[in-house]
PDB file of all heavy atoms in Angstrom:
ATOM      1  N   TRP C 235     -19.702  12.197 -41.013  1.00  0.00           N
ATOM      2  CA  TRP C 235     -19.718  13.102 -39.864  1.00  0.00           C
ATOM      3  C   TRP C 235     -19.813  14.555 -40.307  1.00  0.00           C
ATOM      4  O   TRP C 235     -20.580  15.340 -39.732  1.00  0.00           O
ATOM      5  CB  TRP C 235     -18.458  12.889 -39.025  1.00  0.00           C
ATOM      6  CG  TRP C 235     -18.396  13.735 -37.791  1.00  0.00           C
ATOM      7  CD1 TRP C 235     -18.993  13.483 -36.589  1.00  0.00           C
ATOM      8  CD2 TRP C 235     -17.700  14.971 -37.631  1.00  0.00           C
ATOM      9  NE1 TRP C 235     -18.708  14.487 -35.687  1.00  0.00           N
ATOM     10  CE2 TRP C 235     -17.920  15.422 -36.304  1.00  0.00           C
ATOM     11  CE3 TRP C 235     -16.906  15.745 -38.474  1.00  0.00           C
ATOM     12  CZ2 TRP C 235     -17.374  16.601 -35.813  1.00  0.00           C
ATOM     13  CZ3 TRP C 235     -16.361  16.928 -37.993  1.00  0.00           C
ATOM     14  CH2 TRP C 235     -16.591  17.346 -36.678  1.00  0.00           C
ATOM     15  N   LEU C 236     -19.066  14.919 -41.334  1.00  0.00           N
ATOM     16  CA  LEU C 236     -19.111  16.290 -41.846  1.00  0.00           C
ATOM     17  C   LEU C 236     -20.507  16.640 -42.365  1.00  0.00           C
ATOM     18  O   LEU C 236     -21.006  17.754 -42.148  1.00  0.00           O
ATOM     19  CB  LEU C 236     -18.077  16.469 -42.953  1.00  0.00           C
ATOM     20  CG  LEU C 236     -16.605  16.444 -42.520  1.00  0.00           C
ATOM     21  CD1 LEU C 236     -15.696  16.342 -43.727  1.00  0.00           C
ATOM     22  CD2 LEU C 236     -16.255  17.669 -41.686  1.00  0.00           C
ATOM     23  N   ALA C 237     -21.134  15.680 -43.037  1.00  0.00           N
ATOM     24  CA  ALA C 237     -22.489  15.925 -43.543  1.00  0.00           C
ATOM     25  C   ALA C 237     -23.471  16.116 -42.391  1.00  0.00           C
ATOM     26  O   ALA C 237     -24.337  16.998 -42.442  1.00  0.00           O
ATOM     27  CB  ALA C 237     -22.923  14.764 -44.433  1.00  0.00           C
ATOM     28  N   ARG C 238     -23.323  15.296 -41.348  1.00  0.00           N
ATOM     29  CA  ARG C 238     -24.224  15.430 -40.198  1.00  0.00           C
ATOM     30  C   ARG C 238     -24.037  16.761 -39.488  1.00  0.00           C
ATOM     31  O   ARG C 238     -24.996  17.360 -38.999  1.00  0.00           O
ATOM     32  CB  ARG C 238     -23.998  14.283 -39.212  1.00  0.00           C
ATOM     33  CG  ARG C 238     -25.029  14.223 -38.090  1.00  0.00           C
ATOM     34  CD  ARG C 238     -24.749  13.103 -37.121  1.00  0.00           C
ATOM     35  NE  ARG C 238     -23.581  13.386 -36.282  1.00  0.00           N
ATOM     36  CZ  ARG C 238     -23.138  12.578 -35.320  1.00  0.00           C
ATOM     37  NH1 ARG C 238     -23.770  11.423 -35.110  1.00  0.00           N
ATOM     38  NH2 ARG C 238     -22.084  12.891 -34.607  1.00  0.00           N
ATOM     39  N   GLU C 239     -22.786  17.236 -39.439  1.00  0.00           N
ATOM     40  CA  GLU C 239     -22.486  18.493 -38.752  1.00  0.00           C
ATOM     41  C   GLU C 239     -22.701  19.709 -39.637  1.00  0.00           C
ATOM     42  O   GLU C 239     -22.521  20.844 -39.183  1.00  0.00           O
ATOM     43  CB  GLU C 239     -21.028  18.466 -38.252  1.00  0.00           C
ATOM     44  CG  GLU C 239     -20.731  17.367 -37.243  1.00  0.00           C
ATOM     45  CD  GLU C 239     -21.481  17.563 -35.941  1.00  0.00           C
ATOM     46  OE1 GLU C 239     -21.486  18.699 -35.433  1.00  0.00           O
ATOM     47  OE2 GLU C 239     -22.072  16.574 -35.441  1.00  0.00           O
ATOM     48  N   GLY C 240     -23.062  19.490 -40.906  1.00  0.00           N
ATOM     49  CA  GLY C 240     -23.290  20.601 -41.811  1.00  0.00           C
ATOM     50  C   GLY C 240     -22.030  21.331 -42.212  1.00  0.00           C
ATOM     51  O   GLY C 240     -22.046  22.544 -42.446  1.00  0.00           O
ATOM     52  N   LYS C 241     -20.915  20.609 -42.317  1.00  0.00           N
ATOM     53  CA  LYS C 241     -19.623  21.223 -42.651  1.00  0.00           C
ATOM     54  C   LYS C 241     -19.201  20.844 -44.058  1.00  0.00           C
ATOM     55  O   LYS C 241     -19.675  19.854 -44.632  1.00  0.00           O
ATOM     56  CB  LYS C 241     -18.557  20.783 -41.637  1.00  0.00           C
ATOM     57  CG  LYS C 241     -18.879  21.179 -40.198  1.00  0.00           C
ATOM     58  CD  LYS C 241     -17.761  20.775 -39.258  1.00  0.00           C
ATOM     59  CE  LYS C 241     -18.111  21.086 -37.805  1.00  0.00           C
ATOM     60  NZ  LYS C 241     -18.345  22.508 -37.569  1.00  0.00           N
ATOM     61  N   ASP C 242     -18.278  21.624 -44.608  1.00  0.00           N
ATOM     62  CA  ASP C 242     -17.758  21.387 -45.949  1.00  0.00           C
ATOM     63  C   ASP C 242     -17.002  20.057 -45.992  1.00  0.00           C
ATOM     64  O   ASP C 242     -16.365  19.649 -45.011  1.00  0.00           O
ATOM     65  CB  ASP C 242     -16.827  22.532 -46.353  1.00  0.00           C
ATOM     66  CG  ASP C 242     -16.395  22.410 -47.804  1.00  0.00           C
ATOM     67  OD1 ASP C 242     -17.173  22.831 -48.676  1.00  0.00           O
ATOM     68  OD2 ASP C 242     -15.290  21.882 -48.048  1.00  0.00           O
ATOM     69  N   ALA C 243     -17.052  19.379 -47.132  1.00  0.00           N
ATOM     70  CA  ALA C 243     -16.459  18.051 -47.271  1.00  0.00           C
ATOM     71  C   ALA C 243     -14.960  18.086 -47.551  1.00  0.00           C
ATOM     72  O   ALA C 243     -14.340  17.018 -47.685  1.00  0.00           O
ATOM     73  CB  ALA C 243     -17.170  17.275 -48.375  1.00  0.00           C
ATOM     74  N   GLU C 244     -14.334  19.265 -47.620  1.00  0.00           N
ATOM     75  CA  GLU C 244     -12.915  19.330 -47.991  1.00  0.00           C
ATOM     76  C   GLU C 244     -12.017  18.483 -47.087  1.00  0.00           C
ATOM     77  O   GLU C 244     -11.116  17.792 -47.600  1.00  0.00           O
ATOM     78  CB  GLU C 244     -12.428  20.782 -47.994  1.00  0.00           C
ATOM     79  CG  GLU C 244     -11.003  20.881 -48.549  1.00  0.00           C
ATOM     80  CD  GLU C 244     -10.265  22.146 -48.127  1.00  0.00           C
ATOM     81  OE1 GLU C 244     -10.574  22.679 -47.035  1.00  0.00           O
ATOM     82  OE2 GLU C 244      -9.380  22.581 -48.879  1.00  0.00           O
ATOM     83  N   PRO C 245     -12.181  18.493 -45.741  1.00  0.00           N
ATOM     84  CA  PRO C 245     -11.296  17.651 -44.921  1.00  0.00           C
ATOM     85  C   PRO C 245     -11.344  16.172 -45.307  1.00  0.00           C
ATOM     86  O   PRO C 245     -10.312  15.483 -45.275  1.00  0.00           O
ATOM     87  CB  PRO C 245     -11.821  17.884 -43.502  1.00  0.00           C
ATOM     88  CG  PRO C 245     -12.408  19.258 -43.548  1.00  0.00           C
ATOM     89  CD  PRO C 245     -13.036  19.350 -44.907  1.00  0.00           C
ATOM     90  N   ALA C 246     -12.511  15.658 -45.683  1.00  0.00           N
ATOM     91  CA  ALA C 246     -12.610  14.260 -46.111  1.00  0.00           C
ATOM     92  C   ALA C 246     -11.875  14.042 -47.430  1.00  0.00           C
ATOM     93  O   ALA C 246     -11.203  13.020 -47.621  1.00  0.00           O
ATOM     94  CB  ALA C 246     -14.074  13.856 -46.237  1.00  0.00           C
ATOM     95  N   ASP C 247     -11.983  15.005 -48.337  1.00  0.00           N
ATOM     96  CA  ASP C 247     -11.253  14.906 -49.604  1.00  0.00           C
ATOM     97  C   ASP C 247      -9.746  14.902 -49.359  1.00  0.00           C
ATOM     98  O   ASP C 247      -8.998  14.118 -49.963  1.00  0.00           O
ATOM     99  CB  ASP C 247     -11.621  16.075 -50.519  1.00  0.00           C
ATOM    100  CG  ASP C 247     -13.096  16.051 -50.929  1.00  0.00           C
ATOM    101  OD1 ASP C 247     -13.676  14.950 -50.979  1.00  0.00           O
ATOM    102  OD2 ASP C 247     -13.648  17.138 -51.186  1.00  0.00           O
ATOM    103  N   LEU C 248      -9.291  15.793 -48.474  1.00  0.00           N
ATOM    104  CA  LEU C 248      -7.862  15.880 -48.152  1.00  0.00           C
ATOM    105  C   LEU C 248      -7.359  14.579 -47.523  1.00  0.00           C
ATOM    106  O   LEU C 248      -6.269  14.100 -47.847  1.00  0.00           O
ATOM    107  CB  LEU C 248      -7.612  17.052 -47.212  1.00  0.00           C
ATOM    108  CG  LEU C 248      -7.796  18.449 -47.802  1.00  0.00           C
ATOM    109  CD1 LEU C 248      -7.796  19.502 -46.702  1.00  0.00           C
ATOM    110  CD2 LEU C 248      -6.687  18.756 -48.819  1.00  0.00           C
ATOM    111  N   LEU C 249      -8.169  14.004 -46.635  1.00  0.00           N
ATOM    112  CA  LEU C 249      -7.756  12.763 -45.973  1.00  0.00           C
ATOM    113  C   LEU C 249      -7.663  11.622 -46.979  1.00  0.00           C
ATOM    114  O   LEU C 249      -6.740  10.795 -46.909  1.00  0.00           O
ATOM    115  CB  LEU C 249      -8.745  12.415 -44.858  1.00  0.00           C
ATOM    116  CG  LEU C 249      -8.343  11.248 -43.952  1.00  0.00           C
ATOM    117  CD1 LEU C 249      -7.072  11.587 -43.172  1.00  0.00           C
ATOM    118  CD2 LEU C 249      -9.468  10.895 -42.991  1.00  0.00           C
ATOM    119  N   ASP C 250      -8.583  11.573 -47.932  1.00  0.00           N
ATOM    120  CA  ASP C 250      -8.533  10.527 -48.960  1.00  0.00           C
ATOM    121  C   ASP C 250      -7.263  10.645 -49.803  1.00  0.00           C
ATOM    122  O   ASP C 250      -6.598   9.647 -50.093  1.00  0.00           O
ATOM    123  CB  ASP C 250      -9.764  10.613 -49.861  1.00  0.00           C
ATOM    124  CG  ASP C 250     -11.037  10.158 -49.164  1.00  0.00           C
ATOM    125  OD1 ASP C 250     -10.920   9.503 -48.112  1.00  0.00           O
ATOM    126  OD2 ASP C 250     -12.138  10.468 -49.667  1.00  0.00           O
ATOM    127  N   VAL C 251      -6.911  11.873 -50.215  1.00  0.00           N
ATOM    128  CA  VAL C 251      -5.700  12.081 -51.013  1.00  0.00           C
ATOM    129  C   VAL C 251      -4.461  11.736 -50.185  1.00  0.00           C
ATOM    130  O   VAL C 251      -3.517  11.094 -50.674  1.00  0.00           O
ATOM    131  CB  VAL C 251      -5.621  13.529 -51.527  1.00  0.00           C
ATOM    132  CG1 VAL C 251      -4.313  13.765 -52.275  1.00  0.00           C
ATOM    133  CG2 VAL C 251      -6.800  13.838 -52.433  1.00  0.00           C
ATOM    134  N   LEU C 252      -4.473  12.150 -48.906  1.00  0.00           N
ATOM    135  CA  LEU C 252      -3.332  11.857 -48.026  1.00  0.00           C
ATOM    136  C   LEU C 252      -3.084  10.354 -47.941  1.00  0.00           C
ATOM    137  O   LEU C 252      -1.960   9.879 -48.147  1.00  0.00           O
ATOM    138  CB  LEU C 252      -3.601  12.430 -46.639  1.00  0.00           C
ATOM    139  CG  LEU C 252      -2.585  12.047 -45.550  1.00  0.00           C
ATOM    140  CD1 LEU C 252      -1.233  12.684 -45.827  1.00  0.00           C
ATOM    141  CD2 LEU C 252      -3.094  12.446 -44.174  1.00  0.00           C
ATOM    142  N   ASN C 253      -4.122   9.589 -47.623  1.00  0.00           N
ATOM    143  CA  ASN C 253      -3.944   8.143 -47.451  1.00  0.00           C
ATOM    144  C   ASN C 253      -3.578   7.449 -48.753  1.00  0.00           C
ATOM    145  O   ASN C 253      -2.896   6.420 -48.743  1.00  0.00           O
ATOM    146  CB  ASN C 253      -5.211   7.529 -46.844  1.00  0.00           C
ATOM    147  CG  ASN C 253      -5.340   7.808 -45.359  1.00  0.00           C
ATOM    148  OD1 ASN C 253      -4.342   7.909 -44.646  1.00  0.00           O
ATOM    149  ND2 ASN C 253      -6.558   7.941 -44.881  1.00  0.00           N
ATOM    150  N   SER C 254      -3.986   8.015 -49.899  1.00  0.00           N
ATOM    151  CA  SER C 254      -3.604   7.419 -51.180  1.00  0.00           C
ATOM    152  C   SER C 254      -2.108   7.565 -51.433  1.00  0.00           C
ATOM    153  O   SER C 254      -1.544   6.820 -52.242  1.00  0.00           O
ATOM    154  CB  SER C 254      -4.396   8.067 -52.320  1.00  0.00           C
ATOM    155  OG  SER C 254      -3.971   9.402 -52.549  1.00  0.00           O
ATOM    156  N   ARG C 255      -1.452   8.527 -50.745  1.00  0.00           N
ATOM    157  CA  ARG C 255      -0.014   8.742 -50.926  1.00  0.00           C
ATOM    158  C   ARG C 255       0.831   7.977 -49.906  1.00  0.00           C
ATOM    159  O   ARG C 255       2.064   7.986 -49.994  1.00  0.00           O
ATOM    160  CB  ARG C 255       0.298  10.238 -50.826  1.00  0.00           C
ATOM    161  CG  ARG C 255      -0.360  11.056 -51.927  1.00  0.00           C
ATOM    162  CD  ARG C 255       0.106  12.496 -51.930  1.00  0.00           C
ATOM    163  NE  ARG C 255      -0.510  13.254 -53.013  1.00  0.00           N
ATOM    164  CZ  ARG C 255      -0.156  14.474 -53.376  1.00  0.00           C
ATOM    165  NH1 ARG C 255       0.837  15.097 -52.727  1.00  0.00           N
ATOM    166  NH2 ARG C 255      -0.765  15.087 -54.364  1.00  0.00           N
ATOM    167  N   ILE C 256       0.201   7.360 -48.925  1.00  0.00           N
ATOM    168  CA  ILE C 256       0.926   6.600 -47.900  1.00  0.00           C
ATOM    169  C   ILE C 256       0.940   5.139 -48.338  1.00  0.00           C
ATOM    170  O   ILE C 256      -0.108   4.493 -48.416  1.00  0.00           O
ATOM    171  CB  ILE C 256       0.264   6.750 -46.518  1.00  0.00           C
ATOM    172  CG1 ILE C 256       0.229   8.222 -46.100  1.00  0.00           C
ATOM    173  CG2 ILE C 256       1.013   5.924 -45.470  1.00  0.00           C
ATOM    174  CD1 ILE C 256      -0.558   8.484 -44.825  1.00  0.00           C
ATOM    175  N   GLY C 257       2.105   4.620 -48.634  1.00  0.00           N
ATOM    176  CA  GLY C 257       2.202   3.273 -49.182  1.00  0.00           C
ATOM    177  C   GLY C 257       1.808   2.176 -48.222  1.00  0.00           C
ATOM    178  O   GLY C 257       1.195   1.188 -48.616  1.00  0.00           O
ATOM    179  N   ASP C 258       2.144   2.314 -46.932  1.00  0.00           N
ATOM    180  CA  ASP C 258       1.885   1.271 -45.944  1.00  0.00           C
ATOM    181  C   ASP C 258       0.525   1.519 -45.297  1.00  0.00           C
ATOM    182  O   ASP C 258       0.346   2.517 -44.596  1.00  0.00           O
ATOM    183  CB  ASP C 258       2.984   1.277 -44.883  1.00  0.00           C
ATOM    184  CG  ASP C 258       2.892   0.088 -43.932  1.00  0.00           C
ATOM    185  OD1 ASP C 258       1.818  -0.541 -43.872  1.00  0.00           O
ATOM    186  OD2 ASP C 258       3.886  -0.202 -43.248  1.00  0.00           O
ATOM    187  N   PRO C 259      -0.456   0.633 -45.494  1.00  0.00           N
ATOM    188  CA  PRO C 259      -1.792   0.870 -44.924  1.00  0.00           C
ATOM    189  C   PRO C 259      -1.804   0.905 -43.399  1.00  0.00           C
ATOM    190  O   PRO C 259      -2.729   1.466 -42.810  1.00  0.00           O
ATOM    191  CB  PRO C 259      -2.626  -0.305 -45.464  1.00  0.00           C
ATOM    192  CG  PRO C 259      -1.634  -1.341 -45.881  1.00  0.00           C
ATOM    193  CD  PRO C 259      -0.414  -0.597 -46.311  1.00  0.00           C
TER     194      PRO C 259
END
Side-chain angles (χ1 to χ4, degrees):
W235 182 82
L236 291 168
R238 189 182 72 178
E239 298 294 314
K241 300 183 184 299
D242 187 82
E244 187 201 28
D247 296 332
L248 291 168
L249 188 64
D250 288 344
V251 176
L252 172 68
N253 284 328
S254 71
R255 296 188 179 190
I256 301 173
D258 188 342

